[in-house]
Amino acid sequence: MKRTHILHAAVAGAVLVAGWLVYRTLSQYSWEDIRNSVSAIPKMNFALALAFSAGSYVCLTFFDFLALRYVGKPLPYRQAALASFTSLSIGHNVGIAALSSGAVRYRFYRRWGLDTEEIAKLIVFCGVTVGLGLIVLAGICLILLPGTAGKVAGLGRAASLALGLACLAVGAVYLALAAFLRSELRVRHWRFALPSPGLAALQLAVGTANFAFVAACLHQLLNGDGGYMETTAAYVMGNLTALVSHVPGGLGVMEAAIVFLLGSSASIGALIAFRAAYFFIPLPLGVVCLLASEALLDANGEEALRKNPG
């Protein structure tokens, strides 16, 4: 019982931290500034941005769906989708996703029969999928737009092209290892095996599609200023900067990188609207899912315990 109370307190703390981070972000601007800048975005663009944001979260649900097959504990898609959306809608705002979203995932998957090692492997699999998707899309941007993508790192055209090829090579090497390497990676008492070639290919596809959807969301909110690939390059490099900095939710870091790359076309309104569409709107939905699951799943668990006390 004490352990349950501690976990509930941790969940409540995560929700409060996420709310504080949202307040801290918006408090940088006056309400009038926010209203005027966001209202300048056409409604159709904002609707499409929400659709692309939803597309990204759908991709993210397949991270968990594939990971469950990787650890040998396949669950119905609806369960994987619930755990994924709830954990990531909160984790994206809290930051340090491996810990914040990982804690929420643990709550779900522990109830559904996964042990600690299997949950750890699932989280690692999802993290690798994120990394592969970002690296592959970065490689594509560096090759197609070496000037834009390399700008944030101060890279010249030749260096950008070389780095782009190296990024794509990472994906190719991962597929080759999945196809031919049969040994396991050992970390203390845990063992990690590479996925099957089919799962590895799906990781690359869904990971890349996820970031492509997020970039499309941002592009719509920029009112179509600049091409889609320019926006994608700016987003990918900005996101890499945010990941390296470990700032919660990438607050400020991603915006600074995007403004640096896109210049005046990256308006404050577009960046605030992007935060709203991709981070702030999913947050309360994720909190509701979490609170409902805490009540319903715990009640079901107690009912099952009464029927089968042994």
Side-chain angles (χ1 to χ4, degrees), residues 221-250:
L221 297 172
L222 290 170
N223 296 328
D225 291 340
Y228 168 71
M229 286 306 300
E230 283 81 1
T231 305
T232 302
Y235 170 74
V236 168
M237 301 311 292
N239 200 39
L240 283 172
T241 305
L243 289 176
V244 171
S245 69
H246 294 294
V247 175

PDB file of all heavy atoms in Angstrom, residues 221-250:
ATOM      1  N   LEU A 221       2.306  26.122 -39.254  1.00  0.00           N
ATOM      2  CA  LEU A 221       2.171  27.269 -38.361  1.00  0.00           C
ATOM      3  C   LEU A 221       3.059  28.433 -38.770  1.00  0.00           C
ATOM      4  O   LEU A 221       2.867  29.558 -38.308  1.00  0.00           O
ATOM      5  CB  LEU A 221       2.479  26.842 -36.924  1.00  0.00           C
ATOM      6  CG  LEU A 221       1.497  25.793 -36.384  1.00  0.00           C
ATOM      7  CD1 LEU A 221       1.959  25.268 -35.037  1.00  0.00           C
ATOM      8  CD2 LEU A 221       0.094  26.357 -36.294  1.00  0.00           C
ATOM      9  N   LEU A 222       4.015  28.152 -39.633  1.00  0.00           N
ATOM     10  CA  LEU A 222       4.826  29.230 -40.208  1.00  0.00           C
ATOM     11  C   LEU A 222       4.145  29.824 -41.440  1.00  0.00           C
ATOM     12  O   LEU A 222       4.770  30.582 -42.188  1.00  0.00           O
ATOM     13  CB  LEU A 222       6.219  28.710 -40.582  1.00  0.00           C
ATOM     14  CG  LEU A 222       7.129  28.353 -39.402  1.00  0.00           C
ATOM     15  CD1 LEU A 222       8.381  27.623 -39.890  1.00  0.00           C
ATOM     16  CD2 LEU A 222       7.520  29.596 -38.624  1.00  0.00           C
ATOM     17  N   ASN A 223       2.891  29.466 -41.653  1.00  0.00           N
ATOM     18  CA  ASN A 223       2.103  29.985 -42.780  1.00  0.00           C
ATOM     19  C   ASN A 223       2.708  29.639 -44.132  1.00  0.00           C
ATOM     20  O   ASN A 223       2.562  30.377 -45.097  1.00  0.00           O
ATOM     21  CB  ASN A 223       1.920  31.505 -42.678  1.00  0.00           C
ATOM     22  CG  ASN A 223       1.128  31.908 -41.455  1.00  0.00           C
ATOM     23  OD1 ASN A 223       0.246  31.178 -41.009  1.00  0.00           O
ATOM     24  ND2 ASN A 223       1.433  33.058 -40.916  1.00  0.00           N
ATOM     25  N   GLY A 224       3.454  28.534 -44.155  1.00  0.00           N
ATOM     26  CA  GLY A 224       4.036  28.120 -45.421  1.00  0.00           C
ATOM     27  C   GLY A 224       5.256  28.921 -45.839  1.00  0.00           C
ATOM     28  O   GLY A 224       5.743  28.768 -46.951  1.00  0.00           O
ATOM     29  N   ASP A 225       5.751  29.811 -44.920  1.00  0.00           N
ATOM     30  CA  ASP A 225       6.960  30.577 -45.262  1.00  0.00           C
ATOM     31  C   ASP A 225       8.142  29.614 -45.351  1.00  0.00           C
ATOM     32  O   ASP A 225       8.438  28.889 -44.416  1.00  0.00           O
ATOM     33  CB  ASP A 225       7.238  31.628 -44.188  1.00  0.00           C
ATOM     34  CG  ASP A 225       6.191  32.733 -44.198  1.00  0.00           C
ATOM     35  OD1 ASP A 225       5.521  32.874 -45.230  1.00  0.00           O
ATOM     36  OD2 ASP A 225       6.058  33.435 -43.179  1.00  0.00           O
ATOM     37  N   GLY A 226       8.840  29.640 -46.474  1.00  0.00           N
ATOM     38  CA  GLY A 226       9.933  28.702 -46.668  1.00  0.00           C
ATOM     39  C   GLY A 226       9.372  27.344 -47.072  1.00  0.00           C
ATOM     40  O   GLY A 226       8.194  27.052 -46.888  1.00  0.00           O
ATOM     41  N   GLY A 227      10.213  26.503 -47.621  1.00  0.00           N
ATOM     42  CA  GLY A 227       9.768  25.184 -48.040  1.00  0.00           C
ATOM     43  C   GLY A 227       9.670  24.228 -46.866  1.00  0.00           C
ATOM     44  O   GLY A 227      10.217  24.466 -45.786  1.00  0.00           O
ATOM     45  N   TYR A 228       8.963  23.121 -47.109  1.00  0.00           N
ATOM     46  CA  TYR A 228       8.819  22.115 -46.055  1.00  0.00           C
ATOM     47  C   TYR A 228      10.168  21.554 -45.625  1.00  0.00           C
ATOM     48  O   TYR A 228      10.422  21.368 -44.438  1.00  0.00           O
ATOM     49  CB  TYR A 228       7.907  20.978 -46.538  1.00  0.00           C
ATOM     50  CG  TYR A 228       7.933  19.773 -45.640  1.00  0.00           C
ATOM     51  CD1 TYR A 228       7.353  19.805 -44.379  1.00  0.00           C
ATOM     52  CD2 TYR A 228       8.570  18.591 -46.051  1.00  0.00           C
ATOM     53  CE1 TYR A 228       7.394  18.700 -43.543  1.00  0.00           C
ATOM     54  CE2 TYR A 228       8.614  17.482 -45.231  1.00  0.00           C
ATOM     55  CZ  TYR A 228       8.019  17.539 -43.976  1.00  0.00           C
ATOM     56  OH  TYR A 228       8.083  16.441 -43.147  1.00  0.00           O
ATOM     57  N   MET A 229      11.044  21.294 -46.585  1.00  0.00           N
ATOM     58  CA  MET A 229      12.337  20.713 -46.238  1.00  0.00           C
ATOM     59  C   MET A 229      13.194  21.692 -45.439  1.00  0.00           C
ATOM     60  O   MET A 229      13.956  21.287 -44.557  1.00  0.00           O
ATOM     61  CB  MET A 229      13.082  20.270 -47.493  1.00  0.00           C
ATOM     62  CG  MET A 229      12.522  19.006 -48.132  1.00  0.00           C
ATOM     63  SD  MET A 229      12.403  17.601 -46.987  1.00  0.00           S
ATOM     64  CE  MET A 229      14.112  17.398 -46.486  1.00  0.00           C
ATOM     65  N   GLU A 230      13.093  23.009 -45.721  1.00  0.00           N
ATOM     66  CA  GLU A 230      13.829  23.995 -44.925  1.00  0.00           C
ATOM     67  C   GLU A 230      13.344  23.977 -43.478  1.00  0.00           C
ATOM     68  O   GLU A 230      14.142  24.006 -42.536  1.00  0.00           O
ATOM     69  CB  GLU A 230      13.646  25.403 -45.507  1.00  0.00           C
ATOM     70  CG  GLU A 230      14.463  25.699 -46.747  1.00  0.00           C
ATOM     71  CD  GLU A 230      13.834  25.141 -48.012  1.00  0.00           C
ATOM     72  OE1 GLU A 230      12.738  24.530 -47.919  1.00  0.00           O
ATOM     73  OE2 GLU A 230      14.434  25.292 -49.093  1.00  0.00           O
ATOM     74  N   THR A 231      12.015  23.907 -43.309  1.00  0.00           N
ATOM     75  CA  THR A 231      11.464  23.833 -41.958  1.00  0.00           C
ATOM     76  C   THR A 231      11.885  22.538 -41.268  1.00  0.00           C
ATOM     77  O   THR A 231      12.213  22.532 -40.076  1.00  0.00           O
ATOM     78  CB  THR A 231       9.922  23.909 -42.004  1.00  0.00           C
ATOM     79  OG1 THR A 231       9.535  25.095 -42.700  1.00  0.00           O
ATOM     80  CG2 THR A 231       9.337  23.935 -40.607  1.00  0.00           C
ATOM     81  N   THR A 232      11.878  21.439 -42.009  1.00  0.00           N
ATOM     82  CA  THR A 232      12.286  20.154 -41.444  1.00  0.00           C
ATOM     83  C   THR A 232      13.740  20.193 -40.995  1.00  0.00           C
ATOM     84  O   THR A 232      14.084  19.714 -39.912  1.00  0.00           O
ATOM     85  CB  THR A 232      12.092  19.030 -42.474  1.00  0.00           C
ATOM     86  OG1 THR A 232      10.724  18.999 -42.887  1.00  0.00           O
ATOM     87  CG2 THR A 232      12.466  17.681 -41.887  1.00  0.00           C
ATOM     88  N   ALA A 233      14.599  20.779 -41.832  1.00  0.00           N
ATOM     89  CA  ALA A 233      16.015  20.886 -41.470  1.00  0.00           C
ATOM     90  C   ALA A 233      16.185  21.707 -40.200  1.00  0.00           C
ATOM     91  O   ALA A 233      16.961  21.347 -39.299  1.00  0.00           O
ATOM     92  CB  ALA A 233      16.796  21.514 -42.623  1.00  0.00           C
ATOM     93  N   ALA A 234      15.458  22.823 -40.116  1.00  0.00           N
ATOM     94  CA  ALA A 234      15.546  23.677 -38.933  1.00  0.00           C
ATOM     95  C   ALA A 234      15.043  22.942 -37.703  1.00  0.00           C
ATOM     96  O   ALA A 234      15.654  22.996 -36.629  1.00  0.00           O
ATOM     97  CB  ALA A 234      14.739  24.954 -39.144  1.00  0.00           C
ATOM     98  N   TYR A 235      13.935  22.236 -37.847  1.00  0.00           N
ATOM     99  CA  TYR A 235      13.371  21.519 -36.693  1.00  0.00           C
ATOM    100  C   TYR A 235      14.301  20.407 -36.223  1.00  0.00           C
ATOM    101  O   TYR A 235      14.531  20.238 -35.021  1.00  0.00           O
ATOM    102  CB  TYR A 235      12.008  20.928 -37.045  1.00  0.00           C
ATOM    103  CG  TYR A 235      11.527  19.999 -35.959  1.00  0.00           C
ATOM    104  CD1 TYR A 235      11.063  20.506 -34.746  1.00  0.00           C
ATOM    105  CD2 TYR A 235      11.600  18.621 -36.117  1.00  0.00           C
ATOM    106  CE1 TYR A 235      10.682  19.669 -33.722  1.00  0.00           C
ATOM    107  CE2 TYR A 235      11.213  17.774 -35.102  1.00  0.00           C
ATOM    108  CZ  TYR A 235      10.750  18.305 -33.912  1.00  0.00           C
ATOM    109  OH  TYR A 235      10.386  17.449 -32.899  1.00  0.00           O
ATOM    110  N   VAL A 236      14.820  19.627 -37.177  1.00  0.00           N
ATOM    111  CA  VAL A 236      15.679  18.506 -36.806  1.00  0.00           C
ATOM    112  C   VAL A 236      16.923  18.989 -36.065  1.00  0.00           C
ATOM    113  O   VAL A 236      17.293  18.458 -35.005  1.00  0.00           O
ATOM    114  CB  VAL A 236      16.071  17.690 -38.055  1.00  0.00           C
ATOM    115  CG1 VAL A 236      17.187  16.707 -37.729  1.00  0.00           C
ATOM    116  CG2 VAL A 236      14.860  16.939 -38.587  1.00  0.00           C
ATOM    117  N   MET A 237      17.586  20.023 -36.593  1.00  0.00           N
ATOM    118  CA  MET A 237      18.800  20.508 -35.944  1.00  0.00           C
ATOM    119  C   MET A 237      18.465  21.172 -34.605  1.00  0.00           C
ATOM    120  O   MET A 237      19.222  21.048 -33.632  1.00  0.00           O
ATOM    121  CB  MET A 237      19.522  21.493 -36.866  1.00  0.00           C
ATOM    122  CG  MET A 237      19.916  20.907 -38.220  1.00  0.00           C
ATOM    123  SD  MET A 237      20.765  19.303 -38.128  1.00  0.00           S
ATOM    124  CE  MET A 237      22.313  19.800 -37.359  1.00  0.00           C
ATOM    125  N   GLY A 238      17.326  21.870 -34.542  1.00  0.00           N
ATOM    126  CA  GLY A 238      16.911  22.455 -33.271  1.00  0.00           C
ATOM    127  C   GLY A 238      16.600  21.397 -32.239  1.00  0.00           C
ATOM    128  O   GLY A 238      16.932  21.527 -31.057  1.00  0.00           O
ATOM    129  N   ASN A 239      15.960  20.314 -32.679  1.00  0.00           N
ATOM    130  CA  ASN A 239      15.622  19.233 -31.759  1.00  0.00           C
ATOM    131  C   ASN A 239      16.865  18.515 -31.258  1.00  0.00           C
ATOM    132  O   ASN A 239      16.951  18.124 -30.092  1.00  0.00           O
ATOM    133  CB  ASN A 239      14.687  18.245 -32.454  1.00  0.00           C
ATOM    134  CG  ASN A 239      13.917  17.395 -31.465  1.00  0.00           C
ATOM    135  OD1 ASN A 239      13.482  17.881 -30.422  1.00  0.00           O
ATOM    136  ND2 ASN A 239      13.733  16.137 -31.784  1.00  0.00           N
ATOM    137  N   LEU A 240      17.843  18.344 -32.147  1.00  0.00           N
ATOM    138  CA  LEU A 240      19.111  17.750 -31.718  1.00  0.00           C
ATOM    139  C   LEU A 240      19.772  18.605 -30.633  1.00  0.00           C
ATOM    140  O   LEU A 240      20.299  18.099 -29.653  1.00  0.00           O
ATOM    141  CB  LEU A 240      20.055  17.590 -32.913  1.00  0.00           C
ATOM    142  CG  LEU A 240      19.770  16.432 -33.861  1.00  0.00           C
ATOM    143  CD1 LEU A 240      20.676  16.526 -35.083  1.00  0.00           C
ATOM    144  CD2 LEU A 240      19.985  15.093 -33.160  1.00  0.00           C
ATOM    145  N   THR A 241      19.724  19.922 -30.825  1.00  0.00           N
ATOM    146  CA  THR A 241      20.280  20.837 -29.829  1.00  0.00           C
ATOM    147  C   THR A 241      19.547  20.708 -28.509  1.00  0.00           C
ATOM    148  O   THR A 241      20.160  20.688 -27.436  1.00  0.00           O
ATOM    149  CB  THR A 241      20.175  22.293 -30.327  1.00  0.00           C
ATOM    150  OG1 THR A 241      20.795  22.395 -31.609  1.00  0.00           O
ATOM    151  CG2 THR A 241      20.853  23.247 -29.357  1.00  0.00           C
ATOM    152  N   ALA A 242      18.213  20.598 -28.560  1.00  0.00           N
ATOM    153  CA  ALA A 242      17.413  20.469 -27.344  1.00  0.00           C
ATOM    154  C   ALA A 242      17.724  19.165 -26.624  1.00  0.00           C
ATOM    155  O   ALA A 242      17.821  19.126 -25.384  1.00  0.00           O
ATOM    156  CB  ALA A 242      15.930  20.549 -27.684  1.00  0.00           C
ATOM    157  N   LEU A 243      17.912  18.079 -27.373  1.00  0.00           N
ATOM    158  CA  LEU A 243      18.220  16.800 -26.753  1.00  0.00           C
ATOM    159  C   LEU A 243      19.579  16.822 -26.068  1.00  0.00           C
ATOM    160  O   LEU A 243      19.757  16.290 -24.968  1.00  0.00           O
ATOM    161  CB  LEU A 243      18.182  15.683 -27.805  1.00  0.00           C
ATOM    162  CG  LEU A 243      16.802  15.303 -28.343  1.00  0.00           C
ATOM    163  CD1 LEU A 243      16.937  14.260 -29.447  1.00  0.00           C
ATOM    164  CD2 LEU A 243      15.915  14.758 -27.220  1.00  0.00           C
ATOM    165  N   VAL A 244      20.543  17.437 -26.728  1.00  0.00           N
ATOM    166  CA  VAL A 244      21.885  17.522 -26.142  1.00  0.00           C
ATOM    167  C   VAL A 244      21.877  18.368 -24.875  1.00  0.00           C
ATOM    168  O   VAL A 244      22.568  18.073 -23.893  1.00  0.00           O
ATOM    169  CB  VAL A 244      22.880  18.101 -27.173  1.00  0.00           C
ATOM    170  CG1 VAL A 244      24.221  18.392 -26.514  1.00  0.00           C
ATOM    171  CG2 VAL A 244      23.057  17.133 -28.334  1.00  0.00           C
ATOM    172  N   SER A 245      21.054  19.432 -24.861  1.00  0.00           N
ATOM    173  CA  SER A 245      21.028  20.345 -23.713  1.00  0.00           C
ATOM    174  C   SER A 245      20.275  19.768 -22.525  1.00  0.00           C
ATOM    175  O   SER A 245      20.463  20.206 -21.395  1.00  0.00           O
ATOM    176  CB  SER A 245      20.365  21.667 -24.119  1.00  0.00           C
ATOM    177  OG  SER A 245      18.983  21.475 -24.349  1.00  0.00           O
ATOM    178  N   HIS A 246      19.382  18.782 -22.752  1.00  0.00           N
ATOM    179  CA  HIS A 246      18.554  18.184 -21.700  1.00  0.00           C
ATOM    180  C   HIS A 246      17.653  19.203 -21.011  1.00  0.00           C
ATOM    181  O   HIS A 246      17.270  19.023 -19.851  1.00  0.00           O
ATOM    182  CB  HIS A 246      19.420  17.483 -20.639  1.00  0.00           C
ATOM    183  CG  HIS A 246      20.156  16.295 -21.180  1.00  0.00           C
ATOM    184  ND1 HIS A 246      19.523  15.152 -21.616  1.00  0.00           N
ATOM    185  CD2 HIS A 246      21.483  16.086 -21.366  1.00  0.00           C
ATOM    186  CE1 HIS A 246      20.425  14.282 -22.037  1.00  0.00           C
ATOM    187  NE2 HIS A 246      21.605  14.820 -21.912  1.00  0.00           N
ATOM    188  N   VAL A 247      17.314  20.290 -21.684  1.00  0.00           N
ATOM    189  CA  VAL A 247      16.379  21.257 -21.107  1.00  0.00           C
ATOM    190  C   VAL A 247      14.994  20.635 -21.111  1.00  0.00           C
ATOM    191  O   VAL A 247      14.595  20.031 -22.109  1.00  0.00           O
ATOM    192  CB  VAL A 247      16.370  22.566 -21.924  1.00  0.00           C
ATOM    193  CG1 VAL A 247      15.303  23.520 -21.403  1.00  0.00           C
ATOM    194  CG2 VAL A 247      17.738  23.224 -21.852  1.00  0.00           C
ATOM    195  N   PRO A 248      14.203  20.738 -20.007  1.00  0.00           N
ATOM    196  CA  PRO A 248      12.869  20.158 -19.967  1.00  0.00           C
ATOM    197  C   PRO A 248      12.010  20.622 -21.137  1.00  0.00           C
ATOM    198  O   PRO A 248      11.797  21.808 -21.334  1.00  0.00           O
ATOM    199  CB  PRO A 248      12.294  20.669 -18.642  1.00  0.00           C
ATOM    200  CG  PRO A 248      13.496  20.883 -17.786  1.00  0.00           C
ATOM    201  CD  PRO A 248      14.557  21.377 -18.730  1.00  0.00           C
ATOM    202  N   GLY A 249      11.543  19.653 -21.928  1.00  0.00           N
ATOM    203  CA  GLY A 249      10.708  19.987 -23.079  1.00  0.00           C
ATOM    204  C   GLY A 249      11.428  20.776 -24.144  1.00  0.00           C
ATOM    205  O   GLY A 249      10.818  21.267 -25.084  1.00  0.00           O
ATOM    206  N   GLY A 250      12.771  20.932 -24.020  1.00  0.00           N
ATOM    207  CA  GLY A 250      13.516  21.730 -24.987  1.00  0.00           C
ATOM    208  C   GLY A 250      13.158  23.190 -24.935  1.00  0.00           C
ATOM    209  O   GLY A 250      13.300  23.904 -25.927  1.00  0.00           O
TER     210      GLY A 250
END
